[in-house]
Amino acid sequence: MTQSNFTRRNVLKTGAVLAGASAANLALWAQAWAQASPFKPEKGASIQLLRWKRFVQAEEDAFMVLVANFTKATGVEVKVINESLDDVQPKASVAANTNQGPDMFWGLYSLPHLFPTKVADVTDVANYLGKKYGGWVDTAQTYGKGPGGKWICIPVAYNGNVINYRQSMIEKAGFKEIPKDTAGFLELMKALKEKSTPGGFALGRASGDGNAWVHWALWSQGANLVDAKDNVIINSPETVKGLEYAKALSDTFVPGTASWNDAFNNKAFLSGEISLTNNGVSIYAAAKAGAAKGDAKMKEIMDDMNHSLWPIGPVGKPTEFHIAYPLMIMKYSKVPNACKAFMAFMLEAENYNKWLEEAVAYLTHPLNAYDANPVWRTDPKLSMLKDASRRTLTAGGLGSVGEKAAGALADFVMLDMVASVCTGRATIKDAIAVAERQAKRIYR
Amino acid sequence: MERLFNNRNFLGLLFMLPAAAFLLLFLVYPLGLGVWLSFTDARIGTPGKFVGLENYEWIIGDSKFQTAVFFTIFYTVVASAIKFAVGLYLAILLNERLPFKAIIRAVVLIPFIVPTVLSAIAFWWIFDPQFSVISWSLKKAGLITENINFLGDVWNSRFSVIFANVWRGVPFIAISLLAGLQTVPPSLYEAATLDGATRWQMFVKITYPLLTPIIAVVMTFSVLFTFTDFQLIKVLTNGGPAGATELMATMSYNTAILGGRIGEGAAVSTAMVPFLLAAIMVSWFGLQRRKWQAGSDSND
């Protein structure tokens, strides 16, 4: 692939505004792209792709348009299978173990690091995209690269997990905005409870929202499961502080959060039961959709709600934990080049910009060039999500993102430790001891 | 050749082969593989090497495993006992002359017919911390002021999932016992009535003894189903809060498939086998003791 080919393609797409390219233009561009692309699909190839089930309908619609355009341009059929978020990992694990199943998996966090020897090397795709679109953000490189520095997946997007709150309710509690520090945030939560408009974070085994807030709370106080060399350091004064902070927060929650999974807080927020929770922007999207259908209550929530980044704790830097969505090609696939072509096609500006826009900030990009996407400018309530991929820490915290980090997440080591303290099942000391024992086993 | 096909032993062996092959392929092999994996440090994608009892040593000292074993036994014993009591009661009731008997019998089966995941999702709403219909009704009736924390509190969540399991399992027991009840000859009751027996005496002296073989079989199945339950817990609590409702089956899945530590997960599931064997033995000996009822002369 030479630079001149890009130029030719660029000429072709002249006149088509990036995001607003008409369908005809897009199809034309896709054909030109297929001709010029360095990734040539195998003859008669067809791809099976298993992805996490969408949370925002428009995102899936845009994705399927992209898939259809790929098929038209390359002749490669792509069969997309949707599975709920929590089911992708078990299916991918079984496929990796038995060497058969879908050609590509699109999962979450550090999924490909669970079986790095079973996924194809996609360094060429990563380099191609990185060079073209302003480079990968740091966390994308961490998630993308496996042992030996080779890329084992393409982190296609991040699902920013932020604080969702009702402006009117925090104002009644005496605050204009979400405090920037963890101490102030605790005061806000206490005040919200006093006004009988409590907030709440999931304490059940919620792999998305539960992990996000628990890791933030612990990391913000300097508590870490492992150090940079993957030595277990959870038994520390910082963890005690982190757990004390989490407990103090949980005392202000609406009752019942110990049973919440990822969906409960959405329901509770949209019904006006809680004033504040942590979530992606799908609650806002749902309120907007409801308002568009003429639902007055949804309109009220849509107008009143806002998002905020997470407060910063004593460690003095952001300690957020957003979900990464890595796309990987299985080594057993007979059509690796077709899969690579699809990966590259998906992240090309002509496709990716449109897709990102349709996801209305539910997803954040991993490539710097997409900072220019209009979705980050159209709605001030969503613009802070632009930096989700830069502000997030990776699975494993200070340590590696490998299979050990994935194991610790799957075992809910941190989440259960916090939940057992917050529900009064264990003392801080005992909870840490249990987590330490488990972590030492996982990280041995 | 012809002689061979006239040989009873050979023919017997031949006819057993398909069944044996089926059992070997789908039962012995997976079970054997599971046991073997439990002695290795296999992870997803790597076959692992033999580590002896290391996995078992680890899980025995693991407080999460201990909690899972405790709750699995508690869940099985309590749910099975309630299912038996309610099932037997329902069976006796359905055995009486009732109007619309056929329809009522069909209705009783509904919880058993509904897919587990669907009923689990229904219970999910019933036990919701904010929107529970039970909390709502009790609040409207002025009996409580705050919603009941069904799945967020350790013991509430344990009894909530047991309730859901009972709801689902009762029809199986009720209908099976009903079938058993209908094999009891009415002449025995007539004779007992002539002797002046009360209804309770008839139940204790006739119904219950004649029903015991069926009870043994039905309860064995019920205990096995309950002990190996998975879907209900996975959907309702995923083992939470903080592992309070974790069953050995869900723990095995989480460790092996989600956590990637196949050897350790296999050890957890292999650890279920002794308990299941014990349950089968109890029923087997139960059946043996009652051989005379099936017409055998000896009472061994």
Side-chain angles (χ1 to χ4, degrees):
Chain A
M1 182 73 216
T2 58
Q3 199 59 43
S4 65
N5 283 342
F6 284 126
T7 319
R8 186 169 63 82
R9 201 211 67 229
N10 283 335
V11 171
L12 257 176
K13 75 173 167 57
T14 311
V17 182
L18 275 189
S22 72
N25 275 343
L26 205 56
L28 212 65
W29 165 82
Q31 275 166 13
W33 180 89
Q35 301 233 317
S37 164
F39 306 105
K40 299 285 181 220
E42 294 82 355
K43 259 214 165 93
S46 69
I47 301 174
Q48 221 183 30
L49 185 158
L50 189 146
R51 66 162 288 182
W52 47 278
K53 199 167 168 57
R54 51 102 185 100
F55 291 87
V56 177
Q57 183 62 48
E59 176 271 302
E60 191 193 5
D61 296 344
F63 179 69
M64 292 317 288
V65 169
L66 184 158
V67 167
N69 280 338
F70 179 74
T71 303
K72 255 186 242 158
T74 59
V76 176
E77 289 284 342
V78 182
K79 189 175 174 226
V80 181
I81 308 161
N82 293 283
E83 289 286 351
S84 78
L85 203 58
D86 287 332
D87 291 339
V88 178
Q89 185 181 332
K91 300 231 165 178
S93 297
V94 171
N97 222 24
T98 55
N99 288 320
Q100 53 190 326
D103 302 284
M104 303 175 88
F105 279 94
W106 192 6
L108 64 158
Y109 292 131
S110 45
L111 177 59
H113 296 270
L114 259 182
F115 34 78
T117 57
K118 296 283 178 177
V119 286
D121 180 354
V122 290
T123 308
D124 45 358
V125 183
N127 286 343
Y128 164 80
L129 290 168
K131 211 182 273 173
K132 197 166 171 188
Y133 294 109
W136 296 91
V137 299
D138 288 347
T139 59
Q141 301 199 29
T142 313
Y143 274 123
K145 288 178 187 170
K150 283 182 183 154
W151 287 73
I152 57 171
C153 67
I154 296 295
V156 174
Y158 291 73
N159 169 209
N161 191 293
V162 287
I163 292 174
N164 290 229
Y165 64 97
R166 296 285 296 268
Q167 186 65 34
S168 61
M169 292 179 182
I170 69 160
E171 275 172 19
K172 270 193 200 126
F175 290 77
K176 277 210 173 68
E177 55 176 19
I178 301 294
K180 300 270 183 279
D181 62 315
T182 48
F185 183 68
L186 178 59
E187 292 311 311
L188 164 68
M189 292 297 280
K190 283 181 182 164
L192 282 170
K193 192 187 180 192
E194 260 168 42
K195 293 281 172 197
S196 298
T197 53
F201 297 153
L203 269 171
R205 287 181 164 177
S207 43
D209 299 334
N211 272 321
W213 91 264
V214 160
H215 282 85
W216 158 78
L218 292 170
W219 285 339
S220 73
Q221 310 292 317
N224 280 289
L225 189 62
V226 291
D227 65 13
K229 287 184 176 151
D230 281 347
N231 299 310
V232 175
I233 53 162
I234 187 75
N235 195 349
S236 69
E238 287 82 8
T239 309
V240 174
K241 265 193 233 154
L243 286 171
E244 281 168 355
Y245 181 72
K247 172 87 174 91
L249 272 186
S250 73
D251 288 342
T252 70
F253 290 173
V254 68
T257 57
S259 63
W260 279 8
N261 65 20
D262 281 307
F264 278 71
N265 59 342
N266 297 42
K267 287 189 292 178
F269 194 97
L270 284 171
S271 68
E273 294 273 329
I274 50 171
S275 56
L276 183 152
T277 190
N278 72 309
N279 205 64
V281 296
S282 51
I283 293 180
Y284 184 58
K288 254 179 159 171
K293 282 184 196 146
D295 187 329
K297 193 175 174 196
M298 287 296 121
K299 171 138 184 22
E300 186 200 328
I301 290 178
M302 179 191 91
D303 291 339
D304 188 31
M305 78 176 287
N306 204 345
H307 303 102
S308 156
L309 292 167
W310 293 84
I312 291 173
V315 292
K317 57 179 188 197
T319 52
E320 291 161 17
F321 192 32
H322 306 298
I323 298 176
Y325 287 129
L327 179 63
M328 69 212 79
I329 303 170
M330 304 307 284
K331 232 179 205 164
Y332 57 69
S333 168
K334 293 192 172 67
V335 289
N337 291 331
C339 295
K340 281 183 183 179
F342 180 76
M343 272 180 169
F345 183 80
M346 186 178 174
L347 276 102
E348 293 282 9
E350 288 76 0
N351 293 317
Y352 194 85
N353 269 318
K354 178 86 180 118
W355 179 66
L356 197 60
E357 250 187 293
E358 292 299 331
V360 276
Y362 186 76
L363 297 171
T364 304
H365 52 275
L367 286 158
N368 291 316
Y370 294 120
D371 278 350
N373 190 289
V375 75
W376 306 125
R377 294 191 303 272
T378 40
D379 188 342
K381 287 184 178 179
L382 297 172
S383 54
M384 82 287 292
L385 268 303
K386 185 182 84 173
D387 292 322
S389 58
R390 293 190 187 91
R391 287 174 66 100
T392 188
L393 301 187
T394 48
L398 302 176
S400 66
V401 291
E403 60 176 323
K404 291 165 181 170
L409 276 178
D411 278 8
F412 299 104
V413 175
M414 301 279 254
L415 189 54
D416 274 2
M417 177 176 74
V418 173
S420 59
V421 169
C422 293
T423 54
R425 272 201 79 201
T427 62
I428 287 182
K429 204 174 143 213
D430 291 347
I432 292 177
V434 170
E436 186 183 24
R437 189 172 181 276
Q438 272 199 306
K440 280 195 168 151
R441 167 87 175 173
I442 295 168
Y443 279 91
R444 67 188 160 152
Chain B
M1 198 67 179
E2 199 175 319
R3 261 186 57 206
L4 206 58
F5 276 102
N6 282 331
N7 184 327
R8 280 174 63 97
N9 289 339
F10 176 77
L11 270 182
L13 195 73
L14 196 71
F15 288 144
M16 259 166 50
L17 269 181
F22 191 82
L23 284 178
L24 273 175
L25 193 66
F26 294 109
L27 216 74
V28 179
Y29 173 69
L31 188 67
L33 184 65
V35 175
W36 161 250
L37 284 172
S38 73
F39 294 117
T40 69
D41 61 355
R43 283 164 174 262
I44 287 170
T46 55
K49 56 180 192 301
F50 184 75
V51 292
L53 292 172
E54 203 266 352
N55 284 322
Y56 291 96
E57 283 163 17
W58 154 258
I59 57 170
I60 286 170
D62 182 17
S63 61
K64 283 192 176 178
F65 177 73
Q66 292 160 1
T67 313
V69 172
F70 161 75
F71 183 61
T72 308
I73 295 172
F74 183 81
Y75 182 74
T76 309
V77 170
V78 175
S80 299
I82 301 175
K83 277 191 274 193
F84 172 65
V86 179
L88 184 61
Y89 176 76
L90 260 181
I92 293 170
L93 209 64
L94 290 175
N95 202 29
E96 299 290 317
R97 275 177 225 282
L98 288 173
F100 309 111
K101 196 150 90 179
I103 294 176
I104 295 175
R105 283 182 187 175
V107 167
V108 166
L109 265 178
I110 285 177
F112 193 58
I113 299 165
V114 178
T116 312
V117 172
L118 277 188
S119 52
I121 290 172
F123 274 106
W124 204 46
W125 278 99
I126 292 171
F127 294 145
D128 190 289
Q130 270 75 42
F131 310 101
S132 162
V133 64
I134 302 174
S135 294
W136 182 85
S137 311
L138 292 175
K139 256 164 115 175
K140 287 277 170 202
L143 295 171
I144 54 170
T145 51
E146 273 203 356
N147 281 355
I148 302 169
N149 193 1
F150 286 105
L151 299 176
D153 173 83
V154 172
W155 283 100
N156 281 0
S157 64
R158 285 177 173 166
F159 283 110
S160 300
V161 291
I162 286 174
F163 181 83
N165 180 281
V166 167
W167 179 84
R168 215 188 129 62
V170 158
F172 168 69
I173 294 179
I175 297 296
S176 306
L177 292 184
L178 179 61
L181 279 178
Q182 288 176 342
T183 64
V184 179
S187 58
L188 292 178
Y189 293 114
E190 283 160 21
T193 317
L194 287 178
D195 288 345
T198 61
R199 286 186 71 96
W200 176 246
Q201 279 173 324
M202 279 196 263
F203 173 75
V204 176
K205 302 282 183 188
I206 302 171
T207 315
Y208 184 74
L210 288 181
L211 215 53
T212 34
I214 290 260
I215 290 175
V217 173
V218 169
M219 287 316 289
T220 308
F221 276 108
S222 172
V223 166
L224 295 187
F225 290 155
T226 316
F227 197 87
T228 53
D229 197 4
F230 177 86
Q231 298 174 62
L232 206 61
I233 298 288
K234 190 78 193 157
V235 175
L236 271 181
T237 63
N238 197 12
T245 58
E246 188 90 280
L247 292 176
M248 288 165 87
T250 53
M251 184 177 182
S252 166
Y253 174 83
N254 285 344
T255 312
I257 305 295
L258 297 184
R261 299 188 304 287
I262 292 183
E264 201 182 309
V268 175
S269 57
T270 307
M272 294 166 77
V273 174
F275 294 102
L276 295 171
L277 275 181
I280 293 170
M281 294 302 251
V282 166
S283 95
W284 195 62
F285 286 117
L287 280 173
Q288 288 283 306
R289 221 156 41 82
R290 307 286 171 185
K291 224 181 201 175
W292 57 274
Q293 290 168 331
S296 170
D297 292 335
S298 64
N299 187 14
D300 50 5

